[in-house]
């Protein structure tokens, strides 16, 4: 490895938060094993039973509020702070552990647990409190039109203009803790490669799209990522 990377783009998934004690989606004890996606994570589910979907996300909030960043989050924050180049994080996670670790350039493409969006005026309410079918929008004053600011299946992703620009510019693409089954995020590696980036997969095991990566580092990212960041920082000294 050498210090020639100018634009590092990191894609993270639920696996990076696993060592902070947060459940992933598709592992053995994952969220989708205890809830049906069609009941809680599709726009049809929200239209069918908004109170139930609000409650599903409200119930998640206390644990995510309490969760602490682990060494993988902290390593990425250190990289952004100390690396002589651009470091951006595109995360599929709705937790705020990257921000708690000190990362500044974080794009939540699947939304954020501590946000709700008003379907009347489109503006975002930041809150860790419960949001429900009665919640009033602080911007337009209308009640009952708030939706969790979570990107459900069938909804388009957030920040895609920014992500497209980052993917076309990056020369190092690092994927951390994602099973590579949800699109379009699982296809980002292909776009980065097309634009000439070197691609690394950091995961507990080979992800579904592992064949698209140049390099693979398997193991707990709380252990593997800090050493990778150390090498990157050493390479520019
Ligand atoms: C869209 C919100 C279009 C809720 C989520 C058929 C084929 C291909 C695609 C599709 C298809 N049919 C439909 C689609 C599109 C669909 C999709 O991809 N479906 C898949 C399932 C087939 N995608 C969409 O609908 C997207 N929207 O395409 O819109 C469009 C365009 C224009 C206009 C209108 C519409 C929306 C996708 C977002 C959906 N929302 N969640 C919530 O988050 O609560 S997705 C959900 O999965 C989460 O957001 C999560 O972030 C995401 C990905 O999961 P992972 O983060 O990868 O987590 P997972 O548990 O799967 O894996 C964890 C990994 O970590 C594992 O590999 C494990 O080994 C590893 N790990 C564990 N511990 C560690 C570790 N690694 C390292 N260290 C450890 N310690």
């Amino acid at each position: 490895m050498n210090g020639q990377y100018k634009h590092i783009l990191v894609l993270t998934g639920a696996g990076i938060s696993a060592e902070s004690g947060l459940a992933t989606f598709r592992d053995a004890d994952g969220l989708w094993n205890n809830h049906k996606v069609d009941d809680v994570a599709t726009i049809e589910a929200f239209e069918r039973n908004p109170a139930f979907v609000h409650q599903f996300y409200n119930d998640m909030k206390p644990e995510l509020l309490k969760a602490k960043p682990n060494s993988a989050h902290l390593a990425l924050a250190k990289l952004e702070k100390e690396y002589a180049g651009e470091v951006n994080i595109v995360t599929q996670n709705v937790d705020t552990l990257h921000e708690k670790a000190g990362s500044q350039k974080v794009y939540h493409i699947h939304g954020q647990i501590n946000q709700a969006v008003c379907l009347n005026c489109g503006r975002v309410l930041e809150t860790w409190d419960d949001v429900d079918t009665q919640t009033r929008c602080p911007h337009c004053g209308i009640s009952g039109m708030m939706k969790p600011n979570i990107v459900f299946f069938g909804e388009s992703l957030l920040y895609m203009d920014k992500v497209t620009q980052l993917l076309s510019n990056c020369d190092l693409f690092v994927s951390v803790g994602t099973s590579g089954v949800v699109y379009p995020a699982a296809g980002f590696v292909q776009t980065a490669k097309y634009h000439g980036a070197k691609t690394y997969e950091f995961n507990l095991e080979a992800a579904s799209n592992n064949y698209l990566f140049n390099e693979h580092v398997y193991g707990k990212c709380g252990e593997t990522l800090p050493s990778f960041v150390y090498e990157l920082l050493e390479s520019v000294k």
Side-chain angles (χ1 to χ4, degrees), residues 151-172:
V151 176
F152 295 136
F153 286 101
E155 287 194 297
S156 37
L157 273 54
L158 304 175
Y159 304 108
M160 277 310 280
D161 291 347
K162 180 67 182 173
V163 171
T164 305
Q165 179 244 324
L166 292 173
L167 285 169
S168 57
N169 262 349
C170 76
D171 46 16
L172 178 63

Side-chain angles (χ1 to χ4, degrees), residues 2-236:
N2 55 46
Q4 93 277 20
Y5 301 121
K6 300 282 175 290
H7 298 274
I8 301 175
L9 178 53
V10 186
L11 170 69
T12 63
I16 198 170
S17 299
E19 289 162 82
S20 296
L22 298 184
T24 62
F25 289 88
R26 297 167 184 85
D27 286 332
D29 56 348
L31 271 170
W32 293 155
N33 292 2
N34 305 314
H35 298 87
K36 278 176 66 203
V37 172
D38 292 346
D39 290 346
V40 292
T42 65
I43 195 67
E44 295 78 14
F46 182 68
E47 283 156 3
R48 192 170 54 240
N49 192 344
F52 182 75
V53 174
H54 273 302
Q55 201 48 52
F56 177 71
Y57 289 103
N58 289 337
D59 291 347
M60 242 188 233
K61 288 184 177 180
E63 190 188 15
L64 268 62
L65 178 57
K66 207 174 53 209
K68 298 264 178 291
N70 61 59
S71 47
H73 298 103
L74 294 166
L76 292 179
K78 180 179 172 70
L79 184 67
E80 178 187 333
K81 189 158 168 267
E82 297 177 12
Y83 188 73
E86 180 81 2
V87 177
N88 287 279
I89 297 174
V90 170
T91 186
Q92 299 171 91
N93 298 339
V94 297
D95 66 50
T96 55
L97 293 178
H98 284 303
E99 291 84 353
K100 284 182 182 174
S103 291
Q104 317 248 319
K105 288 180 279 188
V106 183
Y107 300 93
H108 288 264
I109 51 171
H110 290 172
Q112 248 173 274
I113 191 71
N114 59 321
Q115 290 181 347
V117 60
C118 176
L119 299 176
N120 178 57
C121 71
R123 280 172 285 183
V124 168
L125 161 63
E126 299 257 347
T127 180
W128 285 99
D129 296 334
D130 283 4
V131 174
D132 59 31
T133 52
Q134 310 305 316
T135 304
R136 182 177 172 278
C137 172
H139 305 293
C140 71
I142 297 284
S143 296
M145 295 289 282
M146 300 308 287
K147 166 187 168 294
N149 196 25
I150 299 282
V151 176
F152 295 136
F153 286 101
E155 287 194 297
S156 37
L157 273 54
L158 304 175
Y159 304 108
M160 277 310 280
D161 291 347
K162 180 67 182 173
V163 171
T164 305
Q165 179 244 324
L166 292 173
L167 285 169
S168 57
N169 262 349
C170 76
D171 46 16
L172 178 63
F173 179 87
V174 183
S175 175
V176 186
T178 179
S179 57
V181 300
V182 176
Y183 286 82
F188 288 170
V189 54
Q190 223 150 359
T191 312
K193 258 176 100 172
Y194 172 77
H195 290 287
K198 178 130 190 222
T199 56
Y200 278 77
E201 174 197 29
F202 282 79
N203 210 51
L204 210 49
E205 65 215 353
S208 304
N209 58 351
N210 68 88
Y211 56 92
L212 294 170
F213 290 88
N214 304 117
E215 309 286 342
H216 309 270
V217 181
Y218 294 135
K220 288 186 165 185
C221 60
E223 292 153 23
T224 57
L225 205 58
S227 15
F228 181 69
V229 164
Y230 175 79
E231 276 175 45
L232 274 172
L233 292 173
E234 283 300 297
S235 71
V236 287

